[in-house]
């Protein structure tokens, strides 16, 4: 109960526990009131892909276990009276992986923002592209990046919030393309994981490598914001973007 009251941040060590989209929405939107968008889209096994099990079976098992349609949810509501669209990834849905549904929801969210003249916030939390969709998932890197150019042309702000973990195709595309790139404290952010990098270069990595604080020091992030301060920070940024 104490952890939940503190927005799933440890009151003793300030560790930010991984949370899902529903909790982020309850934290960010005024009175936890919001409307979910594009809930009718579901992943499909285009390729008849099988690894340890058929992809279709993996999807059906995931849908049966959790009340999520895919790895990204999109919602619209008010953040301190500012209208905003917030897309949030759920790591419990196949590692928050980037597939065709996430790419399509992302694209439709951009169109919605342009139509209604709203800022766009994306909360990233992913292991990368969904290998079971092969080239279909990789195509989303270009698709989402291209849609952001339309948002820029419309002079609407895009804020990327990087949480633990953010890897692979997300960090290689829209995750790092924000007008502002914000991270939660001590989040692990990168392309390949530190173990893979260490094995490849055969050298020890610097202390804190790929953590938020390391990335801020090396210019990859604009700021680090604690979860308890995130709503107020977004509200202030929306005000500044409007002025």
């Amino acid at each position: 109960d104490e952890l939940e009251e503190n927005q799933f941040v440890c009151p003793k060590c300030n560790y930010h526990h991984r949370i899902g989209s529903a909790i982020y929405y309850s934290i960010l939107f005024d009175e936890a009131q919001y409307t979910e968008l594009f809930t009718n889209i579901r992943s499909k096994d285009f390729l008849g892909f099988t690894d340890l099990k058929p992809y279709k079976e993996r999807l059906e098992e995931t849908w049966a276990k959790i009340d999520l349609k895919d790895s990204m949810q999109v919602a619209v509501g008010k953040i301190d009276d500012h209208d905003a669209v917030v897309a949030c990834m759920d790591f419990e849905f196949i590692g928050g992986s980037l597939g065709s549904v996430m790419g399509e929801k992302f694209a439709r969210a951009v169109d919605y923002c342009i139509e209604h003249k709203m800022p766009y916030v994306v909360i990233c939390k992913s292991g990368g592209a969904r290998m079971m969709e092969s080239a279909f998932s990789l195509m989303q890197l270009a698709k989402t990046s291209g849609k952001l150019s339309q948002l820029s042309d419309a002079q609407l702000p895009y804020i990327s919030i990087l949480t633990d973990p953010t890897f692979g195709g997300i960090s290689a595309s829209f995750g790092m393309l924000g007008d502002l790139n914000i991270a939660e404290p001590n989040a692990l952010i990168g392309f390949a994981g530190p173990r893979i990098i260490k094995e490849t270069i055969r050298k020890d990595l610097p202390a804190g490598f790929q953590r938020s604080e390391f990335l801020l020091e090396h210019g990859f992030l604009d700021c680090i914001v604690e979860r308890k301060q995130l709503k107020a920070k977004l509200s202030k940024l929306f005000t500044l973007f409007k002025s």
Side-chain angles (χ1 to χ4, degrees):
D1 291 344
E2 185 181 0
L3 189 63
E4 186 174 357
E5 288 172 7
N6 206 43
Q7 299 180 355
F8 294 92
V9 177
C10 178
K12 293 182 172 62
C13 69
N14 205 41
Y15 178 79
H16 284 55
H17 289 267
R18 191 180 298 164
I19 58 176
S21 56
I23 300 177
Y24 271 114
Y25 291 156
S26 68
I27 292 170
L28 293 178
F29 288 121
D30 296 349
E31 299 176 359
Q33 297 296 310
Y34 58 91
T35 302
E36 278 202 54
L37 305 174
F38 324 123
T39 57
N40 60 324
I41 315 174
R42 283 195 175 205
S43 292
K44 181 179 178 181
D45 185 8
F46 298 100
L47 306 172
F49 186 92
T50 299
D51 48 10
L52 296 177
K53 63 179 72 173
Y55 178 39
K56 183 178 180 182
E57 182 181 328
R58 191 183 297 275
L59 287 170
E60 289 170 351
E61 287 181 0
T62 306
W63 288 324
K65 287 179 185 175
I66 57 178
D67 188 25
L68 294 171
K69 297 292 193 302
D70 208 83
S71 52
M72 174 182 273
Q73 323 316 315
V74 181
V76 59
K78 290 184 179 292
I79 299 176
D80 279 349
D81 287 331
H82 296 279
D83 291 316
V85 173
V86 181
C88 183
M89 298 171 202
D90 283 286
F91 198 81
E92 58 183 331
F93 195 102
I94 314 182
S97 48
L98 168 62
S100 54
V101 167
M102 185 188 290
E104 182 62 16
K105 282 189 173 184
F106 187 100
R108 293 189 189 189
V110 171
D111 292 338
Y112 188 96
C113 289
I114 293 172
E115 180 182 354
H116 297 278
K117 301 190 183 307
M118 294 181 182
Y120 188 28
V121 178
V122 174
I123 301 172
C124 302
K125 180 167 53 268
S126 173
R130 189 173 301 174
M131 58 169 284
M132 291 76 85
E133 293 188 16
S134 189
F136 288 101
S137 64
L138 295 177
M139 287 163 60
Q140 307 312 312
L141 278 72
K143 177 177 178 175
T144 54
S145 300
K147 291 301 291 186
L148 286 177
S149 66
Q150 296 178 3
L151 196 69
S152 178
D153 291 342
Q155 297 185 333
L156 294 168
Y158 166 55
I159 299 173
S160 177
I161 301 173
L162 307 166
T163 71
D164 185 65
T166 300
F167 274 92
I170 303 300
S171 61
S173 58
F174 60 86
M176 286 293 188
L177 292 178
D179 296 310
L180 287 170
N181 295 326
I182 297 171
E184 288 188 335
N186 204 41
L188 195 59
I189 303 162
F191 182 69
R195 179 179 58 83
I196 300 298
I197 294 173
K198 184 176 180 179
E199 289 177 358
T200 302
I201 66 175
R202 301 182 187 282
K203 292 182 180 179
D204 290 331
L205 301 173
F209 181 70
Q210 291 187 327
R211 294 290 176 181
S212 304
E213 294 74 14
F214 185 91
L215 297 182
L216 179 65
E217 184 180 342
H218 289 80
F220 279 83
L221 297 174
D222 294 293
C223 59
I224 296 172
V225 181
E226 293 190 11
R227 192 173 293 160
K228 290 177 285 186
Q229 300 169 349
L230 187 56
K231 181 176 180 176
K233 185 72 170 182
L234 289 174
S235 175
K236 184 175 182 179
L237 291 172
F238 294 155
T239 303
L240 291 172
F241 274 117
K242 283 181 180 178
S243 61

